[in-house]
Amino acid sequence: DTEVTQTPKHLVMGMTNKKSLKCEQHMGHRAMYWYKQKAKKPPELMFVYSYEKLSINESVPSRFSPECPNSSLLNLHLHALQPEDSALYLCASSQDRGVWELFFGEGSRLTVL
Amino acid sequence: AQSVTQLDSQVPVFEEAPVELRCNYSSSVSVYLFWYVQYPNQGLQLLLKYLSGSTLVKGINGFEAEFNKSQTSFHLRKPSVHISDTAEYFCAVTSGANNLFFGTGTRLTVIP
């Protein structure tokens, strides 16, 4: 059983829709991450959130917007996505920033039509 | 910056045979190394890690890996594989700073 919970597991959306992916961890971890994984590729880091500070991968488009309501929740807001954004979105957490023993959720499979 | 190379994209092996998945890294500073496993339609799970100390590290599910600084390698081994080991395996490296760099993955297929 994973201790990082992601919802929804599957999401289909049109290019004009607004949707959100949600992630929750109850391990008391102080760092949370969003990764994007295309088929047969390694995960790519999108965002890191730690101690109320957000670190962004400069190459991530602004149509992806992270939000951290509290230390155990991390959301990813999606707006005006493109078909090439279809991927598996993985949330992860770690004990602290710079501690790279990551605990991953099962992912949210996103399809953009 | 660091990088990691997994030369074998696919490794087929018969059940109960030994397996080695290769990983080589590049870095100008000290590194920490990880192996993650991803089963179909799931997230990644940590198999084992090298942070310091003994160069032979043991992980879950009977896997082990050896850190070889002179060869800049961190190969993953298992003496006898099971059908349930069929999965994608990712090697990853970090200097502990801002990112964890994943290799392109090796698909292990265990043949009955």
Side-chain angles (χ1 to χ4, degrees):
Chain A
D1 288 341
T2 180
E3 296 185 74
V4 178
T5 305
Q6 290 187 242
T7 56
K9 292 196 187 309
H10 300 275
L11 178 63
V12 179
M13 61 186 290
M15 290 189 285
T16 58
N17 292 158
K18 282 186 181 181
K19 298 284 185 183
S20 297
L21 305 180
K22 298 185 185 300
C23 176
E24 187 171 14
Q25 58 91 9
H26 292 291
M27 294 176 283
H29 286 174
R30 292 185 282 268
M32 295 184 75
Y33 311 79
W34 279 112
Y35 280 85
K36 175 183 178 180
Q37 187 180 25
K38 300 283 277 184
K40 301 186 188 304
K41 298 288 187 184
E44 298 175 19
L45 183 63
M46 300 175 73
F47 303 104
V48 181
Y49 214 104
S50 180
Y51 293 104
E52 300 180 4
K53 285 188 68 176
L54 177 67
S55 298
I56 299 173
N57 179 339
E58 299 285 335
S59 66
V60 177
S62 59
R63 55 186 184 267
F64 294 92
S65 174
E67 178 204 13
C68 193
N70 59 55
S71 59
S72 64
L73 289 171
L74 185 65
N75 300 324
L76 185 62
H77 300 302
L78 317 170
H79 175 53
L81 296 193
Q82 303 297 310
E84 60 264 29
D85 296 321
S86 298
L88 181 68
Y89 288 84
L90 294 163
C91 177
S93 69
S94 69
Q95 193 170 26
D96 212 332
R97 178 76 186 268
V99 176
W100 291 102
E101 182 174 349
L102 301 178
F103 292 77
F104 283 87
E106 294 192 348
S108 294
R109 175 77 59 190
L110 174 66
T111 302
V112 182
L113 302 176
Chain B
Q2 297 81 50
S3 66
V4 62
T5 301
Q6 293 181 249
L7 288 172
D8 306 307
S9 60
Q10 297 187 62
V11 173
V13 63
F14 285 104
E15 192 174 14
E16 298 183 6
V19 69
E20 178 179 85
L21 305 184
R22 296 182 294 168
C23 172
N24 287 88
Y25 70 92
S26 173
S27 177
S28 58
V29 298
S30 297
V31 295
Y32 307 118
L33 293 153
F34 304 81
W35 275 99
Y36 285 86
V37 60
Q38 185 174 31
Y39 299 103
N41 299 314
Q42 292 190 26
L44 281 71
Q45 180 182 8
L46 181 67
L47 268 181
L48 48 79
K49 61 188 177 187
Y50 172 77
L51 303 181
S52 65
S54 173
T55 57
L56 182 65
V57 291
K58 294 188 183 299
I60 62 171
N61 301 340
F63 283 93
E64 64 179 34
E66 185 156 20
F67 171 60
N68 187 321
K69 190 174 181 179
S70 62
Q71 303 279 338
T72 60
S73 68
F74 190 56
H75 301 332
L76 181 70
R77 302 186 184 98
K78 186 169 183 177
S80 175
V81 295
H82 303 287
I83 296 291
S84 59
D85 292 323
T86 293
E88 191 83 22
Y89 291 79
F90 291 97
C91 183
V93 63
T94 182
S95 64
N98 295 321
N99 206 344
L100 180 67
F101 297 92
F102 286 92
T104 50
T106 297
R107 172 73 180 174
L108 173 64
T109 301
V110 180
I111 305 163

